[in-house]
Amino acid sequence: MKKIEAIIRPGKLDEIKDALAAAGILGITVTHVLGFGRQKGYTQIYRGQEVVSHLLSKIKIEIVTLDDKLDEVIDIIVKTARTGQVGDGKLFIQNVDEVIRIRTGDKGEKAI
Ligand SMILES: Nc1ncnc2c1ncn2[C@@H]1O[C@H](COP(=O)(O)OP(=O)(O)OP(=O)(O)O)[C@@H](O)[C@H]1O
Ligand SMILES: [Mg+2]
């Protein structure tokens, strides 16, 4: 199992959420976050000019999925989240050791 952590533009959340649901994704977690990337929170960088970084509102979506669905989920997020402008966001992929459904005690793939 894998966890995808997607940092995206807030305005893209609804579209991505709907696309994931349509693809049969069974659960997501969404958090409002603050962050900056290479442009330090600006929409463009001015060469040679020192700027103080500032934090922009972003959305973090966490999705735990089966290994064989990973590529499909990544595809959906990248296609839906991309505008082509700086600040479109990033995906971080991690291995997940265990998932446990609290209500039933189900573990592993059954619990996703
Ligand atoms: N290396 C990183 N570690 C943790 N969070 C990051 C990292 N890079 C980006 N982020 C998060 O993703 C958000 C969007 O990043 P962003 O898309 O601006 O990345 P970038 O590398 O600057 O790419 P681009 O040049 O396309 O803007 C940031 O505001 C931050 O929350
Ligand atoms: Mg950036």
Side-chain angles (χ1 to χ4, degrees), residues 9 38-39 42-44 58 81-89:
R9 297 179 189 276
R38 293 188 302 177
Q39 294 79 23
Y42 292 82
T43 51
Q44 53 181 307
K58 297 285 173 179
R82 181 179 287 151
T83 69
Q85 305 299 307
V86 298
D88 272 352

Side-chain angles (χ1 to χ4, degrees), residues 3-19:
K3 180 162 96 167
I4 302 160
E5 233 178 69
I7 313 291
I8 59 152
R9 297 179 189 276
K12 288 288 191 179
L13 176 60
D14 280 348
E15 206 183 326
I16 292 172
K17 172 177 65 70
D18 292 348

Side-chain angles (χ1 to χ4, degrees), residues 13 22 36 39-40 59 61 79 91 98 104 106 112:
L13 176 60
F36 68 80
Q39 294 79 23
K40 295 182 171 178
I59 292 285
I61 307 176
K79 276 195 194 127
L91 302 184
E98 186 61 291
T104 56
D106 287 342
I112 289 185

Side-chain angles (χ1 to χ4, degrees), residues 28-55:
I28 66 172
T29 300
V30 175
T31 318
H32 291 273
V33 294
L34 297 173
F36 68 80
R38 293 188 302 177
Q39 294 79 23
K40 295 182 171 178
Y42 292 82
T43 51
Q44 53 181 307
I45 30 173
Y46 302 97
R47 226 187 227 294
Q49 190 176 321
E50 271 306 306
V51 291
V52 178
S53 60
H54 76 271
L55 296 167

